[in-house]
Amino acid sequence: MSTRGLLSRLESGDMHPSSRREEPIEAITRHLRVLLNTRKGESVSSPGYGILDFNDIVHTYPSAIQKMQASIRAAIQEYEPRLRNVVVVHTPDADEPAALKFEITAQLSQKGSRGVLRFRTRVGAGGQIDLS
């Protein structure tokens, strides 16, 4: 069972997750992993949460790349308020031409924050997205 839900935390005895301080960038990265590996419609309480399922649009390749890019960007803008100025770019890989990879750059929304965050993604088998 996933460790991100309330019932999972209650089951494991982790009653006070806020007592464990997590760095903002770690929390954002953890949330992006969840967000990018959730498909639209999977969340009953928030049907728009997540991204398009690549398997549903792969038949439109190469325009599927732009659709995935837009879906990732829209999901982050909508569901990760700690980030602003989100840019998602497809990054072809000469060593792995069949691999679908994106680079996400964004800034922290905190006042006075000027640093740029960079994440690299790779769509793996079954549509799972690895984030680094």
Side-chain angles (χ1 to χ4, degrees), residues 7-15:
L7 295 177
S8 299
R9 291 193 310 265
L10 291 172
E11 185 177 88
S12 70
D14 189 6
M15 298 295 288

Side-chain angles (χ1 to χ4, degrees), residues 84-99:
R84 61 185 169 94
N85 300 329
V86 177
V87 176
V88 179
V89 177
H90 175 247
T91 54
D93 188 341
D95 295 331
E96 289 184 88

Side-chain angles (χ1 to χ4, degrees), residues 15-78:
M15 298 295 288
H16 302 286
S18 61
S19 64
R20 180 179 59 92
R21 289 283 178 212
E22 185 173 36
E23 292 295 320
I25 294 172
E26 289 174 7
I28 291 168
T29 302
R30 185 174 43 82
H31 178 240
L32 287 179
R33 281 190 181 104
V34 172
L35 177 63
L36 298 179
N37 282 295
T38 302
R39 301 300 165 248
K40 286 188 176 208
E42 283 183 358
S43 172
V44 176
S45 63
S46 184
Y49 184 85
I51 64 170
L52 292 174
D53 188 341
F54 185 70
N55 295 322
D56 291 343
I57 61 171
V58 71
H59 63 280
T60 65
Y61 191 84
S63 68
I65 293 171
Q66 288 82 25
K67 290 177 185 176
M68 280 300 289
Q69 209 169 290
S71 180
I72 292 169
R73 184 173 184 268
I76 294 171
Q77 287 180 312
E78 177 76 20

Side-chain angles (χ1 to χ4, degrees), residues 90-130:
H90 175 247
T91 54
D93 188 341
D95 295 331
E96 289 184 88
L100 187 59
K101 297 180 179 183
F102 297 98
E103 182 177 86
I104 302 166
T105 56
Q107 291 178 311
L108 288 174
S109 293
Q110 296 172 341
K111 205 172 199 175
S113 177
R114 295 180 185 251
V116 174
L117 299 177
R118 276 192 171 67
F119 303 96
R120 287 178 176 72
T121 67
R122 182 181 192 283
V123 180
Q128 285 294 109
I129 295 184
D130 298 322

